[in-house]
Amino acid sequence: MTASDSPAPAALQSPPHPYYNQATHGPYELADIGDLVTDSGATLRGVQLAYVTHGTLNPDKTNAVLMTTWYSGTSKIMEQIFVGPGRALDPEKYFIVIVNQLSSGLGSSPHNTPAPWDGPNFPQLSIADDVRAQHALLTQKWGLSELALVVGGSMGAQQTYEWAVRYPEMVKRAAPIAGFARNTDHDRFYGESLMQAVKSDPGYAGGRYRDLREVEAGMRRHVGIWAYMGLCPEFYRHQLWKPLGFASAGDFVNGFVAALFLQMDPGDLMCKASKWQRGDVSLQSNGDLKAALGRVTAKVFVMPISTDQFFPVEDCRLEQQLIAGSELRVIESNWGHFGLFAVEPEYTTQIDRHLSELLATEV
Amino acid sequence: MTASDSPAPAALQSPPHPYYNQATHGPYELADIGDLVTDSGATLRGVQLAYVTHGTLNPDKTNAVLMTTWYSGTSKIMEQIFVGPGRALDPEKYFIVIVNQLSSGLGSSPHNTPAPWDGPNFPQLSIADDVRAQHALLTQKWGLSELALVVGGSMGAQQTYEWAVRYPEMVKRAAPIAGFARNTDHDRFYGESLMQAVKSDPGYAGGRYRDLREVEAGMRRHVGIWAYMGLCPEFYRHQLWKPLGFASAGDFVNGFVAALFLQMDPGDLMCKASKWQRGDVSLQSNGDLKAALGRVTAKVFVMPISTDQFFPVEDCRLEQQLIAGSELRVIESNWGHFGLFAVEPEYTTQIDRHLSELLATEV
C-alpha cells in the first residue's frame, strides 16, 4: 500500500450522498493508500481512507495521536467529543489524526465502491484490515514511527487494542474506551442479532436495495435493539431522555436513536457489524489472548463504561489484567454504551482527566 | 365466570399438538371458567384454564398456594423446579395449584381457540385478565378465600404482583421472582424487539402461518435475542454451558435455547409477550404505582436474580420499597434471567430458603 492524495474515484464523487458528505461530516480529506489485501482474501484496489488532522506534527514526530472511530460515528463526532484547546486532546500540543474506519461511509465503503466490490460484493473486513490500512497512511503520509497515543471507543477500542498488539514498537500509550481486545460470546450474539434485524428485511435483498426506505423496517428493528442494549436500565429508570426535551422514552428512541441510524447506509453498517463481531487480537497469537496482550508495550488505560450492557466492566477488567502495567479506569455513566456520545458533562470530565493523566505518563 | 370441569372443546382435542399435550406437559386438568371479558374489550367464551394440583386442601382451606407460570414454561417445569417433599412447596403441607397462564399453549390459547377468536384473532390479553380468570377458578372450584402464598417467576411475578394488589384480602404472602409490578421502558423495548423478531418474518403472515417451519427464521431471531438477554455476560464469561455438555456457546444456544422455543407456537408466544410488555399494577390506581402497591397487605419477598438483564435488582428494589413490610431477597446466579431454570443447585437452595422463611412468617 502506498499513501497518496488523489481525487476521489468516480463512485466517491457526485451525486453527493445525502448523509456521507463534506457538509455533514467534513471537512475531511481522502487518501488513496493503494491496494489492501484483506484478511478474508480479497484485494481492494485504490482504497480510500477519510481522515482529518488537528494541530501540527512536531519536528521529531513524537506528538502524533491516532483516534479511531466507532460503529455509528465518523471523524466529525470524534472531533466534537474529544478535541479542543484546553482538552486532553489539545491541537496546540498534539498532531491528532482521526481516521474513519473502512465502511464508515466516508472513504471506501460498500455503498461507494465500484463493481465488482460494490455493495454486497464488498469484502468481509477485519479490525486488523483497518489497522493495517491506518498504519500505511500514518507511516507513508507523515513518516510516523511513533504514536503518543491511540484512542478510540467501542469499535474504536477494538482498533486501539489491535494497534497496541500489532505495532507495539509504535504505540506509546493506548486508551481503549468501552470495547474489547477479543469479543465475548455474549457480545457476538448481540452483534449477530443486530445484523439479523436488518438482513432479514426482504427489502434489504442481500444488500441489493436501491433506496434506504426499502430497508427502513429492518433498520427500525436494529434501532429497537439499540434502544435497550445501547442504553441501559439506569438510563430509563432516571428518565435521562427528559432533559433532552423528549416527551417519553419512545419519543427519545425515535428522535435520537432512529434519527441517528436511519440516515446511514445499511450495507455499510452490516460490514462494520461483521468486523465488530469478529474483533480478536488473539488471532495474532493462534488464539492465545494472554500471549497477544503480552506483546503490548504501551502504557494502557482500559476505560469501560460502568453501565455498558455488552462491554461490561468485568470483561474489560479481565483483559486489562493481561496487559503489563495497565490500569483500569471505569467511566461512571448512566447512559450505558451510549455514554460514548458524551451527552453528560461528567462523562467528558472523566475522559479528559484520564487521557490527560495517560498522556502525562512517561513511557 | 363459573368454573366447571367439562370436556375440552373440539379445538382442544384431536389431533394432539406435538408439543402442547398431556404426554409432554401432563398430567394436567382443564377447567371451563365460562366467559372472560378481557380488558381489551373482547368476550372469550368457554375459557379453559389448564392447571395441576399437588397435596390436599385442609379443612379450613388455609394451606392453598397458587403458583403462576412464565413466558416459556407450563405447569410441568414449575412442578419440576419448585414442588416436592421436603421442599418449601411441600405437597404434604400445602395444597399447591399451578395454573397455566392464558395463551400458554395449554388451555385457551390462540393456536387452539375456535373461530372467530382463533390465531391472530385471539384478543389482546392483560396480566389482569389472567389473574381474574385464576380468581374465578380458585374461588369457584375450591371455594378458596385465602392463599397462603402466591409465587411465580418473570411473567409469573407479574401475575403475583397483580394478585397482591387486586385481591389483597386473599393473598397472605407473595413472592414475585425476577419480575416487575410495573414494566419499565427498558424491558418494554426488549419485549417489543422480541415480538418484532417474529412478526417481521414474512412466514408469520400476521399470525396466519400454517406450520411452525414457516416461522422458523423469525423464531430463530427471537432465540438469538434471548441468547444475550435471557442469559448474561457472566454466563458466557464462565462458560457455564460447558458442564451441560455443549461444545461451544453457539452449540448451547441451539441445543438449549432454540430447542426450547422452536417447539412453541409463535402466535401463543406473541400473545404472551404483549401481556408481559404491558404488565402494570398501577393501572388499578390511575397510573399511581405507589398507591397500587400501597394496597398490598401480604407479606412480600421480592426476589430478583442478581444478573438479570431486563429485571435488574435495582428496579426491583424500587418497587419493593413501595410495599409495606416487604423484603428484598436477591437470588445470586450467573445465569441471568434464565437462572429461573434452576440449572444451578445453589439457585434452588436459595429459592427454598427464602420461600420457607416466607411461609413460616406469621401474617
Side-chain angles (χ1 to χ4, degrees), chain B residues 291-302:
Chain B
L293 292 177
R295 289 194 208 166
V296 175
T297 54
K299 174 71 178 177
V300 181
F301 278 10
V302 172

Side-chain angles (χ1 to χ4, degrees), chain A residues 6-325:
Chain A
S6 69
L12 294 178
Q13 292 175 345
S14 59
H17 190 280
Y19 181 66
Y20 302 116
N21 57 52
Q22 289 280 358
T24 309
H25 297 281
Y28 59 85
E29 308 291 324
L30 287 171
D32 184 327
I33 58 158
D35 295 353
L36 176 69
V37 178
T38 68
D39 280 344
S40 59
T43 306
L44 265 178
R45 290 177 172 79
V47 166
Q48 302 268 324
L49 280 184
Y51 69 93
V52 291
T53 66
H54 294 270
T56 308
L57 185 60
N58 63 11
D60 55 357
K61 300 186 177 181
T62 56
N63 72 333
V65 169
L66 171 65
M67 165 149 266
T68 53
T69 65
W70 56 61
Y71 183 63
S72 73
T74 69
S75 46
K76 194 70 193 172
I77 193 171
M78 304 306 147
E79 272 175 23
Q80 294 166 342
I81 290 178
F82 289 95
V83 179
R87 302 286 309 276
L89 301 191
D90 187 337
E92 309 203 346
K93 291 168 71 179
Y94 297 103
F95 176 60
I96 303 155
V97 186
I98 312 178
V99 185
N100 290 278
Q101 67 172 305
L102 294 165
S103 196
S104 68
L106 309 183
S108 294
S109 301
H111 92 266
N112 64 18
T113 295
W117 297 117
D118 56 318
N121 310 301
F122 196 78
Q124 186 187 61
L125 295 181
S126 67
I127 297 289
D129 290 332
D130 267 293
V131 168
R132 288 185 294 112
Q134 292 164 11
H135 184 266
L137 175 70
L138 299 184
T139 54
Q140 295 170 25
K141 186 164 182 64
W142 294 288
L144 298 180
S145 59
E146 173 175 333
L147 291 167
L149 173 68
V150 181
V151 56
S154 199
M155 289 189 73
Q158 293 181 300
Q159 296 163 59
T160 299
Y161 274 119
E162 185 74 25
W163 261 98
V165 173
R166 185 170 288 270
Y167 304 113
E169 71 291 352
M170 230 177 131
V171 182
K172 299 304 168 193
R173 299 170 195 81
I177 305 171
F180 291 145
R182 177 169 71 185
N183 223 355
T184 60
D185 287 323
H186 182 263
D187 186 52
R188 189 164 53 83
F189 293 141
Y190 172 52
E192 179 64 26
S193 172
L194 279 174
M195 290 166 68
Q196 287 299 322
V198 176
K199 291 186 170 183
S200 64
D201 187 339
Y204 184 74
R208 291 175 185 79
Y209 53 89
R210 291 154 303 177
D211 187 281
L212 296 194
R213 297 297 288 201
E214 296 174 3
V215 199
E216 187 179 330
M219 285 294 284
R220 282 193 175 272
R221 290 195 291 276
H222 172 270
V223 163
I225 295 174
W226 279 107
Y228 57 93
M229 285 296 286
L231 285 306
C232 60
E234 291 79 2
F235 177 84
Y236 295 106
R237 182 184 308 142
H238 300 298
Q239 303 193 322
L240 297 183
W241 41 264
K242 242 181 197 169
L244 305 185
F246 293 102
S248 67
D251 195 34
F252 163 81
V253 171
N254 200 38
F256 187 102
V257 190
L260 178 70
F261 281 109
L262 292 185
Q263 306 175 83
M264 298 177 191
D265 183 80
D268 290 5
L269 285 174
M270 294 303 97
C271 177
K272 280 188 285 188
S274 164
K275 269 198 272 188
W276 160 14
Q277 206 188 22
R278 293 173 292 107
D280 184 358
V281 299
S282 83
L283 295 174
Q284 298 182 53
S285 302
N286 296 313
D288 184 338
L289 183 64
K290 192 175 173 184
L293 292 177
R295 290 194 208 166
V296 175
T297 54
K299 174 70 179 177
V300 181
F301 279 10
V302 171
M303 296 163 65
I305 295 174
S306 59
T307 52
D308 201 311
Q309 302 287 288
F310 48 97
F311 297 124
V313 172
E314 186 56 23
D315 286 308
C316 292
R317 186 201 312 275
L318 291 174
E319 296 192 330
Q320 178 260 317
Q321 288 170 343
L322 299 178
I323 304 172

